[in-house]
Amino acid sequence: MVELTRKQFDILSILATAKTKLSQRQLEEKCGHSLGTVNKAIKDFTDWGYVQDGEITNEGYQALEPYRAKRAIFIAAGFGSRLVPVTLNTPKPLVRVNGQRMIDSLIDACLNAGIDEIYIVRGYLAEQFDQLLYKYPMIKFLENTSYNESNNISSAMCARYLLQNAYVLESDLIINNPDIITKYHYTSNVLGIYKDRSDDWVLTVDKDGYVTEEKVGGLNCYQMIGIYYWNACDGARLAGDLQDAYMAPGGKERYWETVPNQAYKGKYKVYVRKCTEKDIIEIDTFRELKAIDKTYDI
């Protein structure tokens, strides 16, 4: 099987997920590469048996298999203190916003992308997550018994052997555009919203779009959205690095994503996938919740 270049991957993955047959001009518009690049890729794919008459073949799908997202892991164990009082009796991911639980839009987007191996790391009021099984019977739960004495790295520890070809998602986000959860990935990545200035957790990138630094606040940076994807190689490596970081002095106080982005950042190449504030909503505080859902503004 031929190892795909980034441009070949971009084009073949579009063919694999398109709902209708695409012309080469349409492929050019969707992938952002030149028409000449698209033409050459289609010729190569045809020669290799990946494409026939402009449509992907079974061999083409097999060529993309190493790049397919196979599972999704939801970090959902925390208390959600900044959303008090609603989280006093309800875990934050299960809080309803305009009638829908926060976590539902995330799970639905994963299922829409063909990802049906789903794990939820739960801790605070864990039994309440059982209600999800009525709508999503495929869910498997991972129990984080240390959620109240450590940061979210303890949740990542619970799932550290499942990180290969896997999404890792914060569970208090609301997705408005399910297409930001994609089936195929060329490299490990994280979602980010470009900001001229931000006081939030941000990522700086190099000229090729890979993370160079994670920090609080910055200029000309990307606000980090808590949706990561790890390829097979990085996911396997991260299992060991998470454990080493967790066992180190002060390790239990870490946020899990600081392990690849700070503690061991030289070992990982994490690409920033751009999204917008229209694609996804992050609700951190009760004030933000009231602004989005007026039923809480009483």
Side-chain angles (χ1 to χ4, degrees):
M1 187 178 298
V2 178
E3 184 175 348
L4 300 175
T5 67
R6 180 59 185 261
K7 292 179 180 179
Q8 289 169 340
F9 164 83
D10 291 343
I11 296 164
L12 192 61
S13 62
I14 290 172
L15 288 172
T17 54
K19 294 179 173 61
T20 60
K21 185 176 179 178
L22 300 174
S23 68
Q24 293 189 15
R25 184 67 69 181
Q26 289 172 316
L27 278 171
E28 177 194 18
E29 294 173 356
K30 286 182 174 292
C31 72
H33 302 310
S34 70
L35 186 59
T37 298
V38 172
N39 291 340
K40 185 179 186 307
I42 295 298
K43 181 182 183 303
D44 289 338
F45 295 155
T46 302
D47 291 342
W48 299 334
Y50 295 174
V51 169
Q52 184 175 1
D53 297 327
E55 295 186 305
I56 191 168
T57 64
N58 288 334
E59 288 80 2
Y61 284 113
Q62 285 301 311
L64 284 171
E65 187 62 16
Y67 307 96
R68 181 173 65 86
K70 295 179 172 60
R71 62 190 60 87
I73 299 158
F74 292 85
I75 304 298
F79 173 60
S81 58
R82 289 194 290 172
L83 221 63
V84 168
V86 292
T87 50
L88 291 175
N89 299 303
T90 305
K92 186 177 179 182
L94 301 181
V95 170
R96 291 186 180 271
V97 181
N98 296 318
Q100 184 184 54
R101 294 171 300 215
M102 287 193 195
I103 199 172
D104 283 31
S105 69
L106 296 163
I107 298 174
D108 290 342
C110 289
L111 294 175
N112 185 62
I115 306 166
D116 58 9
E117 185 181 336
I118 294 174
Y119 299 85
I120 294 179
V121 184
R122 61 184 182 176
Y124 174 63
L125 297 177
E127 69 284 351
Q128 290 196 24
F129 286 91
D130 289 345
Q131 67 184 266
L132 293 171
L133 295 172
Y134 292 101
K135 183 178 179 182
Y136 307 109
M138 76 292 294
I139 286 175
K140 298 175 183 177
F141 295 114
L142 302 173
E143 312 297 338
N144 180 359
T145 58
S146 302
Y147 73 91
N148 61 345
E149 59 189 48
S150 63
N151 219 318
N152 68 6
I153 189 173
S154 62
S155 289
M157 282 287 290
C158 293
R160 66 187 183 277
Y161 296 121
L162 298 168
L163 298 177
Q164 299 178 57
N165 295 95
Y167 269 106
V168 180
L169 307 94
E170 293 182 5
S171 300
D172 54 0
L173 304 167
I174 300 173
I175 289 183
N176 294 323
N177 175 16
D179 291 340
I180 64 174
I181 302 297
T182 56
K183 187 172 187 176
Y184 298 107
H185 300 262
Y186 193 72
T187 186
S188 299
N189 58 71
V190 58
L191 285 174
I193 299 173
Y194 180 78
K195 298 285 185 177
D196 293 326
R197 177 190 296 271
S198 177
D199 296 323
D200 208 331
W201 280 95
V202 300
L203 303 166
T204 57
V205 302
D206 62 20
K207 62 182 179 62
D208 296 316
Y210 289 93
V211 174
T212 57
E213 186 179 13
E214 175 187 344
K215 59 183 180 178
V216 177
L219 303 174
N220 301 317
C221 53
Y222 287 88
Q223 179 183 328
M224 183 175 63
I225 303 301
I227 298 181
Y228 277 80
Y229 176 81
W230 299 103
N231 64 20
C233 180
D234 287 341
R237 181 184 297 120
L238 190 53
D241 289 342
L242 278 169
Q243 183 162 1
D244 289 345
Y246 185 75
M247 299 303 294
K252 291 184 178 181
E253 302 306 312
R254 279 190 175 275
Y255 292 105
W256 76 268
E257 69 275 0
T258 64
V259 176
N261 290 340
Q262 293 180 354
Y264 298 95
K265 69 178 182 178
K267 296 173 66 174
Y268 297 88
K269 288 192 68 176
V270 181
Y271 184 76
V272 174
R273 284 200 299 132
K274 300 175 185 177
C275 64
T276 71
E277 291 174 339
K278 293 181 179 179
D279 293 325
I280 194 162
I281 298 171
E282 186 172 12
I283 300 177
D284 286 326
T285 66
F286 186 55
R287 176 179 293 181
E288 292 173 351
L289 176 61
K290 291 192 294 183
I292 293 172
D293 187 339
K294 299 301 182 184
T295 61
Y296 291 101
D297 192 9
I298 56 175

